[in-house]
Amino acid sequence: MNKRTILIIEDNLEIREGTAEILELTGRYDVLTAENGKIGVDLALKNIPDLILCDIMMPELDGYGVLYMLSKQDATMHIPFIFLTAKSERVDMRKAMEMGADDYLVKPFDDIELLNSIESRLRKRDSLQSVFEKPASGLNLTEEDQTVLLNDLVKEARVKVYKKKQLIYEDGDAPIYVYYLVKGKVRTYLYYQDGRELSTNIHTDEQFFGYESILLNERYTESASALEDTEVALIPKDKFFELMFNKPVIATKFIKLLSGNVKEKEEQMLGFAYDSVRKRVANTLVHVASKTITTSNQDEVVIRISRDDLAALAGTANETISRMLADFKDEKLIIKEGNAIRIYSIEKLKNIKQ
């Protein structure tokens, strides 16, 4: 059996040598000793012991200082650290634990108490290392594997059909599902105090939505409704969490999606604050178009969205939308086709100035 290395940092010669003798007699440990904190830090950095026993009240550098310095080094920050001290006040114990100590032995301690504390901390460290070192199937999934797992989750879910303008969830509801858009379009929106709506996003086929509140463990802060007849898979949140816990890479995927949503909303708020109405309407058309195009280089597209929904997305009035659409038509950027809008060039709309 490989011996573990224990570093004892203790200014009292009798206690230091007595503790070292106890550990060496077990035949399981190699022991290093230091008579003060400064020497102890140097030995720890040079030898990287498996565990450190450290007095608190010492010359040169006290135990708190030793723990602080070693916790700032990558090589030593995870070494189990046990304080040895004659101080038994609750405030001292609390300070030690708040700084990251693993245990606290009050002098005088007996042999069994010392050995039990050491073995307990080493077992805990070994257990944590085994978790992080063993191969984890959920950490190395290809993008294709992730898609298969998420598709399986969707297949097991109940699919519900929502009619155009039907509410899916409302601001203040407690989340019980993660939603996956099988077919159709869904918009999320906020209410102004006067009852007007501000659309925050549009979701299209094969997109997840409603997961933000699940991940944040809070009630919905916006509402969602169908823009057209829509099929939505309702994934129970316990199934969603089970997959994330078993496959951490899936959790990472949704955290990235959540980060992207936050960034998108920040840009939207900046647009409301600083863009002209003309620029906001153009950006809204581009945003809706991006949910419709099938290839990244597609420049012409037909979108279907009501003026009410466009106004809610752009944060402006219906009359303003009508005026801006007429201007864009005159500039040959768009044309109305029944209840749809044909955008001749997404790129030109993107480049519209203030």
Side-chain angles (χ1 to χ4, degrees):
M1 181 181 68
N2 293 332
K3 289 185 177 183
R4 305 296 185 93
T5 299
I6 308 293
L7 171 60
I8 302 171
I9 309 174
E10 168 65 65
D11 65 322
N12 184 293
L13 176 62
E14 184 178 344
I15 295 176
R16 186 171 69 248
E17 292 187 346
T19 304
E21 184 179 4
I22 292 170
L23 297 178
E24 288 170 342
L25 285 173
T26 65
R28 302 171 64 182
Y29 305 110
D30 288 324
V31 181
L32 301 171
T33 61
E35 60 266 30
N36 63 53
K38 185 175 182 299
I39 295 173
V41 169
D42 291 340
L43 280 174
L45 293 172
K46 182 179 179 180
N47 296 278
I48 313 298
D50 295 291
L51 183 140
I52 297 172
L53 300 170
C54 185
D55 188 22
I56 288 183
M57 301 302 293
M58 295 183 295
E60 301 288 342
L61 184 67
D62 67 13
Y64 297 130
V66 172
L67 178 57
Y68 177 82
M69 292 181 69
L70 295 180
S71 69
K72 299 302 180 183
Q73 303 293 323
D74 291 341
T76 55
M77 63 190 301
H78 298 299
I79 296 175
F81 197 100
I82 300 174
F83 273 127
L84 308 176
T85 182
K87 302 177 70 173
S88 59
E89 294 294 328
R90 181 180 295 273
V91 66
D92 298 312
M93 294 183 181
R94 188 171 188 177
K95 181 178 179 180
M97 295 308 174
E98 286 177 349
M99 288 188 67
D102 295 280
D103 207 347
Y104 191 107
L105 292 177
V106 178
K107 304 172 188 176
F109 46 82
D110 59 39
D111 301 358
I112 299 301
E113 187 179 4
L114 171 67
L115 294 173
N116 282 343
S117 179
I118 291 172
E119 290 171 8
S120 173
R121 296 305 152 189
L122 289 175
R123 279 198 304 270
K124 183 176 181 181
R125 187 192 189 198
D126 291 344
S127 176
L128 288 172
Q129 282 184 330
S130 67
V131 169
F132 287 108
E133 289 174 358
K134 69 181 181 180
S137 60
L139 293 175
N140 299 299
L141 295 175
T142 65
E143 193 68 32
E144 184 179 353
D145 291 335
Q146 295 175 44
T147 301
V148 169
L149 286 170
L150 290 171
N151 285 344
D152 287 343
L153 190 67
V154 170
K155 288 176 184 176
E156 295 174 0
R158 176 169 67 94
V159 175
K160 183 175 179 179
V161 176
Y162 291 88
K163 296 296 183 183
K164 183 177 180 179
K165 295 191 175 182
Q166 185 177 350
L167 191 67
I168 298 173
Y169 59 79
E170 190 171 16
D171 177 14
D173 287 349
I176 56 176
Y177 297 113
V178 170
Y179 299 91
Y180 179 82
L181 190 47
V182 179
K183 181 182 179 182
K185 285 188 177 68
V186 168
R187 77 178 179 106
T188 52
Y189 55 94
L190 302 170
Y191 283 111
Y192 287 112
Q193 289 183 343
D194 61 5
R196 288 182 297 158
E197 296 175 0
L198 170 64
S199 291
T200 55
N201 210 341
I202 292 178
H203 303 280
T204 54
D205 295 2
E206 300 181 357
Q207 287 188 343
F208 289 91
F209 65 98
Y211 53 83
E212 296 94 334
S213 295
I214 293 282
L215 293 175
L216 296 172
N217 192 29
E218 61 182 25
R219 293 178 180 273
Y220 292 116
T221 56
E222 58 188 11
S223 302
S225 64
L227 276 172
E228 58 191 38
D229 290 353
T230 298
E231 296 179 12
V232 179
L234 312 181
I235 302 168
K237 67 178 181 180
D238 57 336
K239 294 288 186 183
F240 178 69
F241 279 129
E242 182 181 343
L243 178 60
M244 288 207 303
F245 289 145
N246 290 333
K247 307 294 181 183
V249 72
I250 298 295
T252 302
K253 187 183 189 78
F254 276 92
I255 290 171
K256 288 179 179 178
L257 288 174
L258 184 59
S259 299
N261 291 345
V262 171
K263 183 178 179 181
E264 190 174 287
K265 288 180 181 179
E266 285 177 347
E267 291 174 350
Q268 185 183 28
M269 294 304 106
L270 284 172
F272 289 151
Y274 298 111
D275 288 342
S276 65
V277 173
R278 174 180 168 84
K279 181 65 173 174
R280 293 211 312 266
V281 175
N283 287 345
T284 299
L285 291 170
V286 170
H287 178 69
V288 176
S290 70
K291 306 290 184 177
T292 306
I293 58 176
T294 55
T295 60
S296 58
N297 60 353
Q298 184 177 344
D299 199 36
E300 182 174 336
V301 66
V302 175
I303 63 173
R304 288 177 173 79
I305 186 169
S306 70
R307 294 192 183 188
D308 288 345
D309 291 331
L310 271 177
L313 271 172
T316 190
N318 281 19
E319 296 79 8
T320 303
I321 290 292
S322 297
R323 188 172 69 253
M324 289 297 104
L325 292 179
D327 288 348
F328 292 157
K329 180 181 177 182
D330 291 342
E331 296 168 34
K332 295 184 170 47
L333 293 170
I334 67 167
I335 190 170
K336 287 283 291 177
E337 296 181 350
N339 62 351
I341 299 172
R342 178 176 293 276
I343 298 174
Y344 288 126
S345 175
I346 297 172
E347 198 61 32
K348 286 182 179 178
L349 279 176
K350 279 183 185 178
N351 294 327
I352 279 181
K353 305 298 182 185
Q354 296 283 5

